Amino acid sequence: MRLYPSCLLPLLALAACGGGAGQRRDDTAVVVSAIGAGSALADPDAGALDPARRALLGATAQGLVRFDAGGQIEPGLAERWIVIDDGRSYIFRLRDDATWPDGEAVTAEEVVRTLRRVIAPRSQNALSPFLAVIDEIVEMTPQVIEVRLKRPRPDLLKLFAQPEMAVFRLGKLDGSGPFRASARGGGIVLRPAPGPGDGEDGAVPRPQETLLFRGERAAAAVARFREGQSDLVLGGSFVDWPLIDAAGIAQANVRLDGASGLFGLAVVSRSGFLGDAANRAAVAMAIDRPTLTHQVHPDWAPVEALLPAQLDSAAAPAQPGWAQFNLGQRRQNARATVAAWKRGHPGPVTLRIALPAGPGATLVWSRIAEALYAIGITPERVGATSPADLRLIDAVAPYDSARWFVATACQPCSPEAQALVDAGREAPDLDARAQRIAEADAALTADGAYIPIAQPLRWSIVALRLQAWQGNARAWHPLNHLRNETR
């Protein structure tokens, strides 16, 4: 008999009813649920965005470039671009037909003004720390923009394609598309922005070209799809994965991304027990990664290294010293380390673990707690933003650079590791940057500042009518690339 947490019982009841679970007709508007509270536009420079707000921003306010369904770069506001000066200058030419919702043309001056906010010192944009390489953004002509860099960055376009880099009019939070938004009931209607040669009073979009978008809790989104009332659920993570099984969603509709990023525990308190690198290693050794990941999803692969691949590092991913041992040996060594600490520090060793709420997080917590109890540590679960000793990082990498991994994992790390992370940012050329990144990876691994567990688990629920949906490493699914008809 399979037991489910009490929070899943309402969904189980829905699944038992079995009503209305057929596919929606293909000549109707596409109904999208994105997990989060984002049923209104939000300014990315005011703080982090949940999946719903990111999806809505990407649908209504594109950047200079954007991602296609496969996570590759395609034109956005810019119709073309060139890279000159050995990779230190990116020049973008805006599309002639780029307009705001009121029909006014988008100008280079407006784009420059918006992008300069992102790189400003006080910006709260999630990508701001990785844009320090930008020296200046200038308007060359009313339709041409130059982004000048302090040092070459071949991965800049992937950053510019993120929804956090969307261009919108300040004070209005309206963008140039690819959709125009209007409120309707509890959601937002998204209609395709006029294309080349169209006018604002042009042909009315066909129903299947229109989207009805909602930002809502995962349980509500999954139940809505189960009842045949939506076509797509976006923004799923490990937190809510058990809802899919509990609701009886058909496997043909469940899609996973091969997301690249970080899923593990950051050491956020380096005092007391966690002030010693050997003790941090003991915690890392104790975790039974294959059991933890398999308990959530059988195909969720565990990892033991910070970097998923070499990427732009000068060396292969650094491996922890304990990687050569099996779980039994690891826990034996970890218990000995904890016992030695207790001899000099009488009393229990208690660690606060910060995790989000949700049934999947409870499954992860159960395996982390079991691991810590097994080596003589008392775990305490606290909220995701509460004061903690260890905090879960669950983040998809916005671009394919090892520097993102080392910088994100250092929360904090040793002064030596931090200096190497910073040196990677300031390196004068790509070869020096690669070497500093490799050194930072090795230093972080030796320091035990981050405890790797897996790559991020990201999922969507997709109706069969949305043939253009594709899984990708960015776990990003633009709403204008859900059907084979794109704009």
Side-chain angles (χ1 to χ4, degrees), residues 106-475:
V106 177
T107 66
E109 179 186 7
E110 294 169 308
V111 175
V112 167
R113 188 185 310 129
T114 302
L115 294 180
R116 282 177 176 171
R117 292 180 72 222
V118 180
I119 64 173
R122 295 184 180 180
S123 173
Q124 298 299 307
N125 192 298
L127 297 182
S128 181
F130 304 100
L131 297 169
V133 71
I134 296 177
D135 185 36
E136 195 174 7
I137 303 175
V138 298
E139 173 193 1
M140 299 180 71
T141 76
Q143 285 188 294
V144 178
I145 293 165
E146 182 181 13
V147 179
R148 300 170 182 168
L149 308 183
K150 302 170 187 175
R151 293 164 290 278
R153 284 295 181 273
D155 42 36
L156 184 71
L157 288 179
K158 289 184 178 178
L159 279 172
F160 270 59
Q162 296 288 333
E164 287 83 357
M165 299 296 290
V167 174
F168 49 86
R169 284 191 292 191
L170 304 182
K172 294 186 177 182
L173 290 182
D174 59 355
S176 63
F179 291 97
R180 302 285 194 243
S182 59
R184 191 184 86 179
I188 292 179
V189 175
L190 299 173
R191 294 183 175 86
D198 293 343
E200 288 290 341
D201 298 325
V204 176
R206 294 178 298 166
Q208 58 267 40
E209 296 179 305
T210 299
L211 279 68
L212 177 59
F213 178 91
R214 290 185 182 89
E216 55 189 352
R217 295 180 302 110
V222 173
R224 192 184 302 279
F225 188 94
R226 174 64 182 82
E227 293 305 297
Q229 297 174 8
S230 73
D231 301 284
L232 179 65
V233 178
L234 291 175
S237 73
F238 84 104
V239 168
D240 298 303
W241 173 258
L243 298 177
I244 294 177
D245 187 34
I249 301 297
Q251 287 302 304
N253 298 121
V254 180
R255 309 290 182 84
L256 296 180
D257 286 295
S260 176
L262 293 176
F263 183 92
L265 298 172
V267 178
V268 292
S269 173
R270 295 171 69 89
S271 61
F273 180 78
L274 293 178
D276 189 290
N279 295 345
R280 298 191 291 271
V283 175
M285 285 191 283
I287 297 174
D288 182 354
R289 290 164 177 79
T291 299
L292 183 154
T293 55
H294 190 272
Q295 185 165 331
V296 178
H297 189 284
D299 296 328
W300 193 15
V303 302
E304 296 179 347
L306 167 59
L307 298 185
Q310 184 167 337
L311 301 175
D312 54 353
S313 172
Q319 301 297 320
W322 45 262
Q324 59 185 308
F325 303 119
N326 62 36
L327 181 63
Q329 293 169 322
R330 293 177 186 181
R331 287 192 171 177
Q332 182 179 0
N333 291 339
R335 279 191 293 268
T337 298
V338 174
W341 169 266
K342 286 183 175 181
R343 285 194 293 271
H345 304 79
V349 176
T350 301
L351 294 180
R352 298 163 298 169
I353 319 296
L355 296 171
T362 298
L363 294 177
V364 169
W365 161 248
S366 71
R367 304 319 308 178
I368 294 174
E370 178 273 333
L372 296 183
Y373 278 124
I375 63 171
I377 296 175
T378 301
E380 176 188 349
R381 180 176 179 175
V382 299
T385 60
S386 300
D389 302 297
L390 298 167
R391 191 180 310 280
L392 183 74
I393 297 178
D394 179 25
V396 176
Y399 63 116
D400 300 314
S401 173
R403 190 182 176 276
W404 178 88
F405 287 84
V406 297
T408 304
C410 182
Q411 296 193 12
C413 53
S414 69
E416 295 78 13
Q418 182 66 67
L420 290 167
V421 171
D422 294 341
R425 180 187 60 209
E426 303 298 334
D429 55 60
L430 295 178
D431 288 340
R433 182 172 185 263
Q435 187 60 43
R436 298 295 87 75
I437 289 172
E439 293 166 355
D441 177 31
L444 278 163
T445 301
D447 183 55
Y450 171 76
I451 300 172
I453 296 176
Q455 290 288 292
L457 179 67
R458 294 293 185 269
W459 56 266
S460 302
I461 307 177
V462 186
L464 301 183
R465 65 185 287 213
L466 305 183
Q467 310 98 327
W469 187 100
Q470 296 182 42
N472 59 76
R474 304 279 82 82

Side-chain angles (χ1 to χ4, degrees), residues 4-13 242-243 246-247 359:
Y4 292 97
S6 59
C7 60
L8 302 188
L9 294 180
L11 274 174
L12 287 172
L243 298 177

